[in-house]
Amino acid sequence: MKSLLLFGATGDLARRMLAPSLFGLDCDGLLPDDLRIVGAARSHLEQDAYRSLIEGALREFVEPDRLRPQCVAKFLDRVRYVPLDVTQPDQFLALRDALLRGEDGEKPADGLRIFLSTAPSLFGPTIAGLQSAGLTGDETRLALEKPLGHDLESSRAINDAVASVFPESRTFRIDHYLGKETVQNLLALRFGNALFEPLWNAQGIDHVQITVAEAVGVEGRLGFYDETGALRDMVQNHMLQLLALTAMEPPAHFDATSVRDEKVKVLRSLRPINHETAMTHTVIGQYGPGAVSGAPVKGYADELGRSSATETFVAIKAHVDNWRWRGIPFYLRTGKRLPTRSTEIFIQLKAVPHSIFAGPGAGLLPNKLIIRLQPEEAITLRVMLKEPGLDRAGMRLREAPLDISIPNAFADFRRRIAYERLLLDLLDGDSTLFVRRDEVEAQWAWIDAIRAGWAANGMTPRPYAAGTWGPSAAIGLTERDGVTWHD
Ligand code: NAP
């Protein structure tokens, strides 16, 4: 009998993502028959009450046509619950008993998989409790949700606590962006086609833009967000992972060591932004009142009920100092209460070296490759084509898209939640799409230097109206280089 032990099992992530993902896998017959899903959290719930909670989550977050009664019944049959306060070491014995005995006298779990979906401050006590209860044997794997600390030092402390019990090979750090199809498609696009790689360097590419724009505000996470800010919430993890996948060298193989070796080289090649360059290479903002999609919304400080120096927007001009990317800017931008929800990697290629299409109407523009992750998954290559007509004043060109909408191109495939992929990989022991310790720490080192640069320069967020693309200085950041943000 195998067990997936889920800490934080009554929480938002468990209800919204983890339970629906596990259900989706189960419904497609992808979970091992003998897998038991054991939820653990503080709430005192009977087994039936917990199963009702999970059933409610499935009804809320799974498409109704997927909720076939026999699938739901089969899934709920796998689910168990153990009430447990992880700060109380003695309570782990009850967990151990529940895992070892099971309800029907099965033998001890021979392949325990553990998923920590709790605040990171609970990781240390949880791991210590698991160890003292003998639940960290050689076969056990541990998955950890972000945030993995709030700076390099705290991240090291978490990583040390984990490493004292679980070797790196059995540690699975989640960045759910890596579970997204389009993120993996970036690898397929780059390394499965001869078309792009010859141009994928400083000779072929003019610059890269990575945008993660949210139309929503901080919603229910005010306390957490005010301690964190956009840089640590979005750039430190998701955006640097997107940058690393965009910029990395071809890995020797598509496996955990090869892919992560290449990513960490990129992260270590990021040019530090420090007290000398923080003012010129970063812009921070905080939204004030405004309107999003025509509806009036409050400013961040109004939502918080006090003024705050936390950034809800950040734009960065980054460089990867290596042979491939010498001199090529990577512009990163993320924020809340922007005009629209959009996540994309925008790659502008160099212009052709010489235009034969002389004349004012020629309209020759450089090619652009746009990899969109949200709201819809799509890959677009913008190419120059001839405008139809008789060209009495010379040939006129116009930009037109070669468009691949992933849902349309693969309409007969079900769209998966990123966590489905990651949970299945955890069960299978494949850590290719999980973040290695050296990556996380390289990410934090770069982020910490930026924050120190802000502090040294007394930088505080500039106001922007909700529903706009951040402070005007963010436009200046790229315009100085003759580059326009792709909105
Ligand atoms: P949440 O809704 O606040 O849930 C927290 C969970 O932790 C609950 O199940 C809670 O149990 C449990 N818990 C709290 N203290 C405990 C203790 N002393 N012993 C045992 N269990 C305890 O949080 P969440 O949104 O699910 O997020 C969980 C973690 O994932 C956080 O670190 C968050 O930053 C991260 N994360 C969340 C999301 C998301 O979309 N929600 C996305 C990415 C990362 P009781 O409710 O029973 O007390």
Side-chain angles (χ1 to χ4, degrees), residues 7-17 40-44 81 84-87 116-120 122-123 145-147 176 221 224 238 419:
F7 286 93
T10 55
D12 174 70
L13 188 67
R15 292 179 60 258
R16 220 160 33 81
M17 291 288 167
R42 247 179 340 190
S43 302
H44 285 276
Y81 182 72
L84 165 79
D85 182 339
V86 298
T87 62
L116 303 191
S117 171
T118 59
L122 299 177
F123 291 174
E145 250 306 334
K146 74 155 200 175
H176 75 274
R221 300 164 69 218
F224 165 77
H238 309 318
Y419 281 96

Side-chain angles (χ1 to χ4, degrees), residues 187-201 324 349:
L187 301 180
L189 198 70
R190 285 193 59 191
F191 305 124
N193 297 285
L195 187 62
F196 300 107
E197 207 48 29
L199 292 170
W200 210 267
N201 51 45
R324 182 185 283 259
L349 281 84

Side-chain angles (χ1 to χ4, degrees), residues 47-59:
Q47 299 299 330
D48 284 348
Y50 184 66
R51 289 194 183 113
S52 295
L53 183 148
I54 293 298
E55 188 175 356
L58 300 182
R59 301 220 174 274

Side-chain angles (χ1 to χ4, degrees), residues 406-423:
I406 304 289
N408 292 349
F410 298 97
D412 44 343
F413 287 77
R414 183 164 78 77
R415 221 174 138 258
R416 300 252 176 211
I417 307 169
Y419 281 96
E420 285 185 69
R421 168 70 194 240
L422 298 177
L423 283 161

Side-chain angles (χ1 to χ4, degrees), residues 175 177-178 186 210 212 231-248 263-264 266-268 270-271 273 316 318-320 330 332 345 435 439-448 450:
D175 185 320
Y177 269 47
L178 297 180
L186 183 56
I210 302 178
V212 180
L231 182 71
R232 293 191 281 193
D233 191 40
M234 277 291 175
V235 182
Q236 184 274 334
N237 35 60
H238 309 318
M239 296 185 79
L240 287 185
Q241 283 292 319
L242 294 181
L243 185 153
L245 289 168
T246 305
M248 73 182 187
K263 278 194 293 166
V264 79
V266 173
L267 296 166
R268 288 188 185 135
L270 281 168
R271 184 184 303 168
I273 294 176
I316 302 174
H319 287 92
V320 178
F330 286 72
L332 312 179
I345 302 167
V435 185
E439 291 180 78
V440 178
E441 294 187 357
Q443 289 170 186
W444 275 121
W446 194 70
I447 294 294
D448 282 2
I450 294 177

